[in-house]
Amino acid sequence: MSKKITIYTRTTCSYCNQVKKLLDMKGKTYDVINIDDNREAEASIIAKSGARTVPVVTVTDEAGDERVASIGWNPGALLSAVA
């Protein structure tokens, strides 16, 4: 089983599109949660990350442990977390 990647986004977020494009280029699959449409997810990701900005990317490992991999446009942290 591989890592599960989730991107928390907003509709007008250009950095969110860059994160998706980078993950696409690396052949990674991911889920997208638009927090504009999901206030419960927004509250949850703020509690997990402390961030009130997007994108927030979480990675869940094979054991089911989820961690915040990157906040904002941070390709180094993102690529390291999904490797």
Side-chain angles (χ1 to χ4, degrees):
M1 183 173 147
S2 63
K3 297 177 182 177
K4 179 183 177 205
I5 303 166
T6 305
I7 307 169
Y8 293 84
T9 69
R10 290 198 182 275
T11 304
T12 59
C13 174
S14 61
Y15 289 122
C16 298
N17 292 330
Q18 287 181 267
V19 165
K20 292 178 215 174
K21 192 178 288 186
L22 178 61
L23 291 174
D24 289 342
M25 286 175 31
K26 295 296 182 179
K28 302 295 182 179
T29 59
Y30 51 86
D31 294 323
V32 176
I33 298 175
N34 186 327
I35 62 174
D36 287 335
D37 302 329
N38 188 335
R39 297 298 178 193
E40 186 176 303
E42 179 181 25
S44 173
I45 199 59
I46 289 171
K48 289 177 191 172
S49 69
R52 294 190 173 270
T53 187
V54 289
V56 175
V57 179
T58 63
V59 175
T60 304
D61 65 18
E62 292 82 5
D65 296 322
E66 180 185 43
R67 69 181 180 92
V68 174
S70 68
I71 299 170
W73 174 239
N74 189 340
L78 177 61
L79 291 176
S80 175
V82 300

